[in-house]
Amino acid sequence: MNRIDEKFNKLKAERRKALIAFLTVGDPDMETSEQAIYTLQDEGADLIELGVPFSDPAADGPIIQRADERALANGTDIFAAFELAVKVRDNIKIPIVFSLYYNVIVQYGAEKFFADCHKAGIDGLIIPDLPFEESGEITEYTKKYGVYQIHFISPASKNRIKNISQYAKGFLHCILPFDADSLQTLDKTAAMIKNCTDMPVCAVSDRSDNDYIIKLSQHFDGVIISSDIVEAIASGKNKNERIDNLRTKMRDLKSCVMIYE
């Protein structure tokens, strides 16, 4: 069984919601990224997303875009990301997924990429620019190497959610709008999504707002935190300060993630 399945089965048995943490590989350097991964696990992350820096991260906000720029300036690429994954895997028991753009996979060579993911202990992939309807060309490799593609959904997906769920593995990565109206109807939105699928659904929060994170964890199976963690790592003057800031942020976030009622 894939480590993602094992994790969500364990969380369900313990009646806990997932805290999923994102960091950009190589921001500000590989040594800090390595220590950050260990810190995330130590402070209760249930799954780690390793963002592979890309020169045109169109699907990401300004905080992650700047992190990508810093990492690329340091020479970080997919090969460095694989090296880091291999280095930490024996000490990291929770699932690790890569978050990256499809062009990186194409340039690397799709089957070789999936084979190397399997060897490195990468459990899944989040590919923002490869929608469900166009993902058939990698399906054989996801099955052959046991590396899940984590699919995106949103309230706008509506009729697509059931179809995506039939083929989805691991969990569904839910993108929500941030306007005031969406906050007022969050319970209805979550109910609509959960009525369409039995898959674990984890919602993304890019808001530095503990009340919002609490609400998300009440309505979904987990919360995905990206910008807050990237900012915490970037805010220190040296590695020790960065890790201390990350540890403080993680403890704050962990206090917001609810249990199943």
Side-chain angles (χ1 to χ4, degrees):
M1 184 181 291
N2 187 295
R3 273 180 288 255
I4 299 174
D5 296 326
E6 291 177 348
K7 171 55 71 173
F8 278 98
N9 287 343
K10 186 173 187 290
L11 288 169
K12 188 174 183 180
E14 296 175 353
R15 302 192 60 76
R16 294 193 297 114
K17 304 298 183 77
L19 173 57
I20 298 176
F22 172 99
L23 65 82
T24 300
V25 174
D27 177 37
D29 53 62
M30 297 302 291
E31 184 179 358
T32 301
S33 291
E34 179 183 356
Q35 190 59 48
I37 291 169
Y38 298 139
T39 301
L40 290 173
Q41 176 174 258
D42 291 345
E43 296 299 333
D46 294 297
L47 184 149
I48 296 174
E49 295 184 11
L50 296 181
V52 179
F54 189 63
S55 58
D56 184 24
D60 298 310
I63 292 172
I64 295 174
Q65 289 178 4
R66 289 193 292 270
D68 279 9
E69 291 171 0
R70 292 190 295 265
L72 290 170
N74 291 332
T76 307
D77 56 16
I78 184 59
F79 301 102
F82 270 125
E83 287 178 8
L84 180 62
V86 170
K87 188 174 184 180
V88 303
R89 183 73 268 187
D90 285 345
N91 296 314
I92 298 296
K93 306 308 178 185
I94 60 177
I96 299 175
V97 304
F98 274 159
S99 178
L100 76 172
Y101 286 81
Y102 189 51
N103 188 57
V104 176
I105 299 174
V106 172
Q107 295 298 320
Y108 196 95
E111 181 159 16
K112 184 178 187 305
F113 178 82
F114 277 88
D116 286 352
C117 281
H118 177 75
K119 292 175 185 175
I122 297 298
D123 302 293
L125 303 173
I126 295 169
I127 313 172
D129 58 340
L130 185 65
F132 166 73
E133 289 80 5
E134 298 175 19
S135 60
E137 56 198 86
I138 63 170
T139 299
E140 64 176 299
Y141 304 132
T142 65
K143 293 178 179 178
K144 181 176 180 179
Y145 296 102
V147 178
Y148 291 168
Q149 181 186 0
I150 307 301
H151 288 291
F152 288 86
I153 60 167
S154 75
S157 302
K158 293 184 178 178
N159 296 334
R160 295 174 65 243
I161 295 175
K162 287 185 178 180
N163 192 32
I164 293 171
S165 300
Q166 290 177 357
Y167 299 93
K169 298 288 186 180
F171 66 97
L172 293 168
H173 197 286
C174 182
I175 307 295
L176 297 170
F178 295 149
D179 56 84
D181 290 341
S182 69
L183 292 178
Q184 294 175 3
T185 60
L186 182 60
D187 55 342
K188 294 180 181 179
T189 298
M192 180 274 291
I193 293 171
K194 297 296 287 183
N195 190 49
C196 293
T197 178
D198 294 326
M199 287 284 295
V201 180
C202 297
V204 178
S205 175
D206 277 327
R207 299 163 57 99
S208 296
D209 181 340
N210 285 4
D211 289 340
Y212 182 64
I213 294 171
I214 290 169
K215 288 178 182 178
L216 288 184
S217 69
Q218 287 174 334
H219 293 294
F220 294 94
D221 301 296
V223 183
I224 302 163
I225 308 293
S226 54
S227 298
D228 274 4
I229 289 174
V230 170
E231 275 196 312
I233 295 171
S235 61
K237 297 178 181 178
N238 54 53
K239 186 184 73 171
N240 289 340
E241 283 191 10
R242 296 176 195 280
I243 297 305
D244 284 344
N245 291 343
L246 174 61
R247 186 174 291 109
T248 299
K249 173 55 68 175
M250 278 297 294
R251 291 176 182 177
D252 183 41
L253 293 169
K254 194 68 178 176
S255 71
C256 297
V257 177
M258 311 297 286
I259 62 171
Y260 284 96
E261 297 179 353

